[in-house]
Amino acid sequence: MKSEHKLFKGKTLAILSGGGDTPAINSSIESVRNRASMLGYKVYGIRNGWKGLLGEGDIVDLTHQPYDGWYGGTALRSSRTNPFPSKKNPENRVPQILENLKRYKIDVLVTIGGDDTNGAAKRLYETEGIPVIGFPKTIDNDLRTQTMHNFKGENIEAVLCPGFPSAAQAIAEFTGKLKTTAESHSRIMVLEVMGRDAGWLTGSALFGGADMALVPEFEMTKERKDFFFESVKETYMRSPKKMLIIPVSEGVRWYDEKSGKVDVVYASSEVDEYGHPRFGGISGIIASEISQKLGIDARAQITGYYARSGNCNNYDRRLTTTLADKVVDLLLREEYGQMPTISKIVPHQELEEFNTSSVDMGAIGNKPLSMQYYDVNKFRFTEAYHDFLGNVLDKKYYQDFDYDFPIVLPKK
Ligand code: F6P
């Protein structure tokens, strides 16, 4: 198509990424940029999330630039800047943002983020009439994407966010590797996984050979802790190799004997501009209580930022391009305030346009694991979760060496 005939010729679309990074943000940026420029838009990148619209602005031109969507993280960089006043920052930055949108002649904004970034964008759309489209992003996979998972005839509300497939693969690989060291020392490894409010990512350790798991959705009261320790002992004793990997979400609420309270473990007393504290360290506490109470050697391992790191995987690549196709549809219909989603859980090969839909991009946060996915009495992810994950990860990430050497007795 000749460029003068392009529908949005003369218009500018700008992309920003906010919140924690994922391996799929560059892929999202590239996919949206490619499609928007085909429609005739000039495409800008706003650097460091909302921060790039403050002061003089920090804007780059992406229109004809080479872009590597397989490379993880975000080349536009990210921040947790909040346009609206918060406890940490009482200043209202909306006037600065509006001023810069005008100065740079930005007609449409695509915000790649979770509930915070997209929630703020939705507010700007509602209160100031700024045309915005959201693009989902989080390794925690806890946005309300309203993605249905059909398991044995039952429709379960699942979630599918770009970033989760790559992060799930990283956690499965990490767990699979840890198995050999746990096995060599007949240990229990308590593996801490990102996830403040939901255990979607923690569950991916199952494909690395983990067994029991703890998630933020169910708090560990005194009674539940006692029951948990009993189950750990039983599972460990039953395990053929006398080893266990127990993934736990960083946001697990755990009963503290000294204070008598159930709470998360904080890595820092700081909160960000959206009021989120930083969690970390629960695995160390659980491992040491396992050692003390059960007399089984236990160690803690925090996966932390590893889950977010590295390249975008194949599933995420296809997911982001498919969702970017839906962005085109939203742009053409001028349906702002919306976020593209995948409407059903399907394997990589089937991620196609006809499975997309869109949802209101405001208030999309904190979708906990559906109850069909976790058995609270067994501290285990269910068959339904295995099935869900089996669509996103196409294999198991652990190996086995089945040895059973004959015992030699001293010669008489
Ligand atoms: O974006 C969500 C998240 O991945 C949480 O799982 C984690 O607690 C948080 O980000 C860590 O973010 P930061 O980069 O600010 O330390």
Side-chain angles (χ1 to χ4, degrees), residues 20 80 137-140 194-196 250 278 305 308:
R80 294 191 187 271
K137 167 238 62 131
T138 168
I139 61 163
D140 294 8
M194 276 192 178
R196 287 182 188 133
E250 61 177 2
R278 204 140 37 85
Y305 297 88
R308 281 184 181 176

Side-chain angles (χ1 to χ4, degrees), residues 179-339:
K179 192 168 169 278
T180 58
T181 176
E183 193 174 316
S184 303
H185 293 268
S186 309
R187 273 180 184 151
I188 295 179
M189 303 292 297
V190 182
L191 187 68
E192 188 167 324
V193 180
M194 276 192 178
R196 287 182 188 133
D197 305 295
W200 295 94
L201 187 60
T202 300
S204 58
L206 302 196
F207 274 34
D211 192 341
M212 304 172 71
L214 295 180
V215 296
E217 284 86 342
F218 302 98
E219 57 174 31
M220 296 299 288
T221 57
K222 188 174 184 312
E223 296 69 37
R224 275 189 52 75
K225 259 177 70 172
D226 291 343
F227 181 40
F228 170 70
F229 288 128
E230 266 172 46
S231 313
V232 169
K233 184 160 193 180
E234 198 192 305
T235 313
Y236 177 85
M237 295 316 279
R238 258 196 297 111
S239 66
K241 297 216 175 136
K242 299 286 167 291
M243 55 84 54
L244 214 55
I245 301 177
I246 308 177
V248 300
S249 307
E250 61 177 2
V252 163
R253 282 134 185 94
W254 185 255
Y255 173 75
D256 174 41
E257 269 144 45
K258 273 195 206 130
S259 67
K261 284 191 188 142
V262 177
D263 202 357
V264 291
V265 177
Y266 296 91
S268 148
S269 53
E270 260 178 67
V271 290
D272 67 21
E273 291 189 6
Y274 291 89
H276 303 298
R278 204 140 37 85
F279 297 166
I282 182 72
S283 55
I285 292 173
I286 298 179
S288 94
E289 287 193 36
I290 287 178
S291 296
Q292 278 169 19
K293 292 202 162 64
L294 304 181
I296 302 170
D297 206 14
R299 295 284 191 276
Q301 175 73 55
I302 302 185
T303 55
Y305 297 88
Y306 180 78
R308 281 184 181 176
S309 314
N311 285 350
C312 181
N313 76 2
N314 287 332
Y315 196 101
D316 255 332
R317 192 74 174 131
R318 195 128 174 200
L319 180 59
T320 50
T321 51
T322 304
L323 291 174
D325 287 342
K326 183 64 186 174
V327 170
V328 172
D329 182 45
L330 294 172
L331 287 168
L332 290 171
R333 293 168 192 268
E334 298 186 53
E335 275 184 35
Y336 304 120
Q338 293 282 304
M339 176 180 89

